[in-house]
Amino acid sequence: MKTSTLAAIGFAAPLIVYLLIFYIAPLVQNISMSLHRYTRRTFVTGEAPWSGLDIYKEVVGSHEFWVTFGQTMVFVIISIFFQYWIGLALAVFFNQNFKLSGLLRGAFLVPWLLPPMVSGTTWQWMMDADNGVINKFLGMFGVDPIWWLQADHSLWAVIIANIWLGIPFNLVILYSGLQNINVDLYEAASLDGCNAWQKFWKITFPLLKPVTMITLLLGFVYTLKTVDIIWIMTKGSGTSQTLATWSYAMAFGKGYSSTIKYSEASVVGTILILIALVFAFIYLWAQRGEDSAKKTKKSTKRK
């Protein structure tokens, strides 16, 4: 073997070993647990009976699964929608490179840098029904106190907190994408009489499409598996229960689920992985279509 090949193997080996131990092995174990009926005893002895897809049918066929699935989609879609558009608006704003833009941009990264425990606890205090600053502010306009962290309002409470947490990520990625857009395009558009709104829709937004796609994909996957901020604020109670918190509660016997259900938790975890993979393949399909379209345009120009 060539020296360069051996060097490549040497550099790749630690990463491959890391992936096998911390990603592939747990994934295989999770799938195996979803196909066996585990209890506390069989989890220790390793003698769990084979159940095939029976547990999948039980979980997917339950009313609780579809209610939780709907809440998960609401949580993910609304969070991503506002995270992206607010992040994009801030990225365009900071792209003007005015004085103190760097300092203000750094200040917007604070939510991203804070530990989830701190962020979740802060929002929990702010949304307290009796002494929370949000209810105090709404009370100035005659609005009655809202029980943000209980019952039907808990989903909207965690959505608001998650949007706040995700805006800095979108800001950083989209701002980097804006830096790669040629300024000459905006100058040419100005000469043609385009206003700021037309420049955004005709130049900025189309050229940000590749960055937008990967931002939305990463945001979807991250939001789909979010547990920490929800668990800290509401412990997944009421409408704030998502597939991720449901799986966590069953796996460790936390929150409302005092009974450990290893196999059911593994089934929900596997479903989450499948959902993420579906959207990842959609992204790859769209990216491949865009690359083929670019190649077609280049070949047409050469002809």
mmCIF file of all heavy atoms in Angstrom, residues 176-194:
data_model
loop_
_atom_site.group_PDB
_atom_site.id
_atom_site.type_symbol
_atom_site.label_atom_id
_atom_site.label_comp_id
_atom_site.label_asym_id
_atom_site.label_seq_id
_atom_site.Cartn_x
_atom_site.Cartn_y
_atom_site.Cartn_z
ATOM 1 N N SER A 176 -23.373 34.005 7.222
ATOM 2 C CA SER A 176 -22.227 33.491 6.461
ATOM 3 C C SER A 176 -22.584 33.338 4.992
ATOM 4 O O SER A 176 -21.762 33.616 4.111
ATOM 5 C CB SER A 176 -21.782 32.139 7.036
ATOM 6 O OG SER A 176 -21.401 32.273 8.394
ATOM 7 N N GLY A 177 -23.813 32.902 4.711
ATOM 8 C CA GLY A 177 -24.247 32.782 3.325
ATOM 9 C C GLY A 177 -24.332 34.126 2.627
ATOM 10 O O GLY A 177 -23.982 34.251 1.441
ATOM 11 N N LEU A 178 -24.773 35.146 3.356
ATOM 12 C CA LEU A 178 -24.870 36.483 2.767
ATOM 13 C C LEU A 178 -23.504 37.041 2.403
ATOM 14 O O LEU A 178 -23.370 37.815 1.438
ATOM 15 C CB LEU A 178 -25.575 37.426 3.740
ATOM 16 C CG LEU A 178 -27.076 37.210 3.954
ATOM 17 C CD1 LEU A 178 -27.593 38.119 5.056
ATOM 18 C CD2 LEU A 178 -27.844 37.445 2.665
ATOM 19 N N GLN A 179 -22.482 36.656 3.166
ATOM 20 C CA GLN A 179 -21.138 37.149 2.901
ATOM 21 C C GLN A 179 -20.592 36.649 1.565
ATOM 22 O O GLN A 179 -19.669 37.245 0.996
ATOM 23 C CB GLN A 179 -20.183 36.722 4.029
ATOM 24 C CG GLN A 179 -20.543 37.295 5.388
ATOM 25 C CD GLN A 179 -20.426 38.802 5.434
ATOM 26 O OE1 GLN A 179 -19.350 39.356 5.223
ATOM 27 N NE2 GLN A 179 -21.531 39.474 5.691
ATOM 28 N N ASN A 180 -21.147 35.547 1.061
ATOM 29 C CA ASN A 180 -20.658 34.960 -0.182
ATOM 30 C C ASN A 180 -21.379 35.489 -1.421
ATOM 31 O O ASN A 180 -21.058 35.089 -2.541
ATOM 32 C CB ASN A 180 -20.805 33.436 -0.135
ATOM 33 C CG ASN A 180 -19.908 32.810 0.918
ATOM 34 O OD1 ASN A 180 -18.783 33.263 1.133
ATOM 35 N ND2 ASN A 180 -20.394 31.770 1.580
ATOM 36 N N ILE A 181 -22.373 36.364 -1.234
ATOM 37 C CA ILE A 181 -23.093 36.937 -2.369
ATOM 38 C C ILE A 181 -22.309 38.133 -2.906
ATOM 39 O O ILE A 181 -21.919 39.030 -2.149
ATOM 40 C CB ILE A 181 -24.521 37.354 -1.968
ATOM 41 C CG1 ILE A 181 -25.321 36.130 -1.511
ATOM 42 C CG2 ILE A 181 -25.224 38.038 -3.134
ATOM 43 C CD1 ILE A 181 -26.731 36.453 -1.053
ATOM 44 N N ASN A 182 -22.090 38.154 -4.189
ATOM 45 C CA ASN A 182 -21.309 39.211 -4.829
ATOM 46 C C ASN A 182 -22.027 40.553 -4.710
ATOM 47 O O ASN A 182 -23.191 40.684 -5.095
ATOM 48 C CB ASN A 182 -21.101 38.876 -6.310
ATOM 49 C CG ASN A 182 -20.024 39.744 -6.935
ATOM 50 O OD1 ASN A 182 -19.695 40.821 -6.442
ATOM 51 N ND2 ASN A 182 -19.471 39.273 -8.044
ATOM 52 N N VAL A 183 -21.342 41.542 -4.159
ATOM 53 C CA VAL A 183 -21.931 42.874 -3.965
ATOM 54 C C VAL A 183 -22.263 43.526 -5.305
ATOM 55 O O VAL A 183 -23.173 44.365 -5.395
ATOM 56 C CB VAL A 183 -20.955 43.760 -3.156
ATOM 57 C CG1 VAL A 183 -21.555 45.138 -2.910
ATOM 58 C CG2 VAL A 183 -20.613 43.100 -1.829
ATOM 59 N N ASP A 184 -21.542 43.157 -6.370
ATOM 60 C CA ASP A 184 -21.781 43.765 -7.684
ATOM 61 C C ASP A 184 -23.206 43.511 -8.170
ATOM 62 O O ASP A 184 -23.763 44.306 -8.938
ATOM 63 C CB ASP A 184 -20.790 43.213 -8.709
ATOM 64 C CG ASP A 184 -19.357 43.612 -8.383
ATOM 65 O OD1 ASP A 184 -19.182 44.608 -7.638
ATOM 66 O OD2 ASP A 184 -18.425 42.937 -8.850
ATOM 67 N N LEU A 185 -23.804 42.407 -7.740
ATOM 68 C CA LEU A 185 -25.176 42.103 -8.146
ATOM 69 C C LEU A 185 -26.153 43.151 -7.611
ATOM 70 O O LEU A 185 -27.087 43.556 -8.308
ATOM 71 C CB LEU A 185 -25.576 40.712 -7.646
ATOM 72 C CG LEU A 185 -24.791 39.529 -8.230
ATOM 73 C CD1 LEU A 185 -25.204 38.234 -7.540
ATOM 74 C CD2 LEU A 185 -25.041 39.411 -9.729
ATOM 75 N N TYR A 186 -25.915 43.593 -6.373
ATOM 76 C CA TYR A 186 -26.782 44.608 -5.783
ATOM 77 C C TYR A 186 -26.581 45.954 -6.469
ATOM 78 O O TYR A 186 -27.546 46.718 -6.676
ATOM 79 C CB TYR A 186 -26.502 44.737 -4.290
ATOM 80 C CG TYR A 186 -26.863 43.505 -3.499
ATOM 81 C CD1 TYR A 186 -25.882 42.649 -3.011
ATOM 82 C CD2 TYR A 186 -28.195 43.183 -3.233
ATOM 83 C CE1 TYR A 186 -26.205 41.514 -2.282
ATOM 84 C CE2 TYR A 186 -28.530 42.049 -2.509
ATOM 85 C CZ TYR A 186 -27.532 41.214 -2.041
ATOM 86 O OH TYR A 186 -27.861 40.094 -1.326
ATOM 87 N N GLU A 187 -25.332 46.265 -6.829
ATOM 88 C CA GLU A 187 -25.063 47.522 -7.518
ATOM 89 C C GLU A 187 -25.712 47.538 -8.895
ATOM 90 O O GLU A 187 -26.284 48.561 -9.316
ATOM 91 C CB GLU A 187 -23.551 47.720 -7.646
ATOM 92 C CG GLU A 187 -22.847 47.884 -6.298
ATOM 93 C CD GLU A 187 -21.349 48.026 -6.447
ATOM 94 O OE1 GLU A 187 -20.856 47.905 -7.597
ATOM 95 O OE2 GLU A 187 -20.667 48.247 -5.425
ATOM 96 N N ALA A 188 -25.657 46.408 -9.594
ATOM 97 C CA ALA A 188 -26.310 46.322 -10.905
ATOM 98 C C ALA A 188 -27.820 46.450 -10.762
ATOM 99 O O ALA A 188 -28.487 47.096 -11.592
ATOM 100 C CB ALA A 188 -25.954 44.997 -11.565
ATOM 101 N N ALA A 189 -28.384 45.856 -9.712
ATOM 102 C CA ALA A 189 -29.827 45.949 -9.483
ATOM 103 C C ALA A 189 -30.240 47.384 -9.171
ATOM 104 O O ALA A 189 -31.314 47.841 -9.589
ATOM 105 C CB ALA A 189 -30.234 45.025 -8.342
ATOM 106 N N SER A 190 -29.384 48.110 -8.439
ATOM 107 C CA SER A 190 -29.679 49.514 -8.133
ATOM 108 C C SER A 190 -29.702 50.349 -9.400
ATOM 109 O O SER A 190 -30.549 51.241 -9.567
ATOM 110 C CB SER A 190 -28.636 50.066 -7.157
ATOM 111 O OG SER A 190 -28.669 49.362 -5.940
ATOM 112 N N LEU A 191 -28.785 50.065 -10.319
ATOM 113 C CA LEU A 191 -28.761 50.791 -11.591
ATOM 114 C C LEU A 191 -30.009 50.511 -12.419
ATOM 115 O O LEU A 191 -30.461 51.364 -13.199
ATOM 116 C CB LEU A 191 -27.515 50.399 -12.388
ATOM 117 C CG LEU A 191 -26.167 50.822 -11.781
ATOM 118 C CD1 LEU A 191 -25.009 50.277 -12.611
ATOM 119 C CD2 LEU A 191 -26.078 52.348 -11.669
ATOM 120 N N ASP A 192 -30.569 49.319 -12.236
ATOM 121 C CA ASP A 192 -31.797 48.965 -12.960
ATOM 122 C C ASP A 192 -33.055 49.486 -12.274
ATOM 123 O O ASP A 192 -34.168 49.251 -12.748
ATOM 124 C CB ASP A 192 -31.910 47.444 -13.097
ATOM 125 C CG ASP A 192 -30.852 46.881 -14.042
ATOM 126 O OD1 ASP A 192 -30.378 47.649 -14.904
ATOM 127 O OD2 ASP A 192 -30.514 45.681 -13.915
ATOM 128 N N GLY A 193 -32.879 50.165 -11.138
ATOM 129 C CA GLY A 193 -34.015 50.775 -10.455
ATOM 130 C C GLY A 193 -34.716 49.887 -9.445
ATOM 131 O O GLY A 193 -35.847 50.173 -9.051
ATOM 132 N N CYS A 194 -34.064 48.812 -9.000
ATOM 133 C CA CYS A 194 -34.688 47.912 -8.027
ATOM 134 C C CYS A 194 -34.609 48.513 -6.623
ATOM 135 O O CYS A 194 -33.585 49.088 -6.247
ATOM 136 C CB CYS A 194 -33.986 46.555 -8.033
ATOM 137 S SG CYS A 194 -34.171 45.632 -9.565
#
